[in-house]
Amino acid sequence: MKIDVKAIRELAENIEKYNLQEVTVESEGAKVTLKREIAVPETVYVNAAPTAPMPAATPKAAAPVAEKVEEKYEAIISPMMGTFYKAPAPDSSDFVKEGQEVKQGDTLCIVEAMKLMNEIKASKDGRIVKILLEDGAPVVKGDKLFLID
């Protein structure tokens, strides 16, 4: 029994050329079978992120109360459009926390705009009454970021 390598190579080329799955050749008691393996795409299952429940509708009477609280304090406003970050890096602590005393010029947060990190500083001495945005929230120019007393 002699195996002809040239013939096997030609069979392999024909499998590709004619898009065959398998070829078997028998000659003088020798049998050669060539099979093409078909790559089966791996199925990956990903659990969808849980969706946050929709907040319940707030009564219309509650809005004026919230506005009066906000009117009582000065707002720190975003000077640009971008993304709001409470900390200089994901593994760092926040620049400020609610209730914290700050001095004029202290860094309160970062607004990232076009890959530039812009520090937003306190415009006066005071106490941070409320942080109005969540970390990573999009902001536009004029959005209120903090309330300061």
Side-chain angles (χ1 to χ4, degrees), residues 79-90:
M80 67 195 67
M81 182 172 146
T83 304
F84 174 82
Y85 292 110
K86 294 180 183 182

Side-chain angles (χ1 to χ4, degrees), residues 1-3 14 36 38 78 83 93 98 102 129 131 142:
M1 172 171 106
K2 185 176 179 186
I3 298 175
N14 284 332
R36 179 171 33 162
I38 301 172
S78 177
T83 304
S93 59
E98 288 182 5
V102 295
V129 176
I131 300 172

Side-chain angles (χ1 to χ4, degrees), residues 90-117:
D91 57 343
S92 300
S93 59
D94 294 351
F95 286 109
V96 294
K97 304 219 183 293
E98 288 182 5
Q100 181 178 334
E101 295 290 328
V102 295
K103 299 280 184 206
Q104 182 176 356
D106 286 353
T107 301
L108 303 177
C109 67
I110 290 175
V111 174
E112 177 190 3
M114 298 178 65
K115 304 292 181 192
L116 295 174
M117 302 299 177

Side-chain angles (χ1 to χ4, degrees), residues 6-76:
K6 184 179 176 185
I8 293 174
R9 190 173 293 127
E10 287 175 8
L11 286 174
E13 289 172 2
N14 284 332
I15 285 177
E16 291 298 316
K17 182 177 178 181
Y18 297 110
N19 199 22
L20 302 172
Q21 302 303 317
E22 180 177 327
V23 173
T24 303
V25 176
E26 283 188 57
S27 177
E28 299 176 13
K31 181 177 179 182
V32 175
T33 301
L34 298 178
K35 294 181 182 180
R36 179 171 33 162
E37 286 195 28
I38 301 172
V40 179
E42 183 179 336
T43 303
V44 177
Y45 296 97
V46 178
N47 290 332
T51 57
M54 294 297 292
T58 56
K60 295 290 179 187
V65 172
E67 287 175 9
K68 286 186 182 211
V69 169
E70 286 189 22
E71 287 175 9
K72 183 177 174 183
Y73 303 107
E74 183 179 328
I76 305 291

Side-chain angles (χ1 to χ4, degrees), residues 128-140:
I128 299 298
V129 176
K130 182 135 181 86
I131 300 172
L132 300 171
L133 296 173
E134 292 297 318
D135 198 47
V139 295
V140 295

